[in-house]
């Protein structure tokens, strides 16, 4: 194996699946909720946006039902 490689002539290709991985959305979230995730961010080192996304992904994966919604 070489010690050095020349990547200057290498042509990069965009990932065709990148757009399928995540989608940017805008939602209104209370400042208390953001504050909660920011405190977790401070202790874990994980950005609060990633924490919120992971929590929502977990809820969707586990098919959690909302039990506090008014009927």
């Amino acid at each position: 194996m070489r010690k050095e490689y020349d990547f200057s002539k290498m042509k990069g290709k965009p990932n065709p699946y990148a757009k399928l991985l995540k989608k940017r959305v805008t939602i209104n979230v209370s400042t208390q909720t953001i504050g909660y995730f920011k405190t977790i961010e401070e202790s874990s080192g994980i950005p609060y946006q990633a924490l919120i996304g992971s929590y929502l992904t977990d809820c969707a994966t586990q098919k959690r039902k909302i039990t506090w919604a008014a009927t």
Side-chain angles (χ1 to χ4, degrees):
M1 191 170 200
R2 292 183 184 177
K3 289 186 178 181
E4 294 183 23
Y5 290 90
D6 181 17
F7 294 106
S8 63
K9 296 179 184 177
M10 189 173 146
K11 295 179 182 178
K13 293 183 180 180
N15 183 349
Y17 302 104
K19 291 183 179 178
L20 301 176
L21 297 177
K22 291 187 177 183
K23 181 177 181 167
R24 181 180 298 264
V25 296
T26 302
I27 60 172
N28 295 323
V29 181
S30 73
T31 55
Q32 293 171 333
T33 302
I34 297 295
Y36 171 75
F37 282 100
K38 282 188 175 185
T39 59
I40 297 173
E41 173 186 34
E42 292 170 3
S43 63
S44 68
I46 301 170
Y48 74 93
Q49 297 96 329
L51 290 168
I52 293 170
S54 295
Y55 182 76
L56 292 173
T57 299
D58 181 60
C59 288
T61 303
Q62 299 297 322
K63 296 183 177 13
R64 296 177 200 258
K65 303 290 183 194
I66 297 172
T67 57
W68 44 261
T71 56

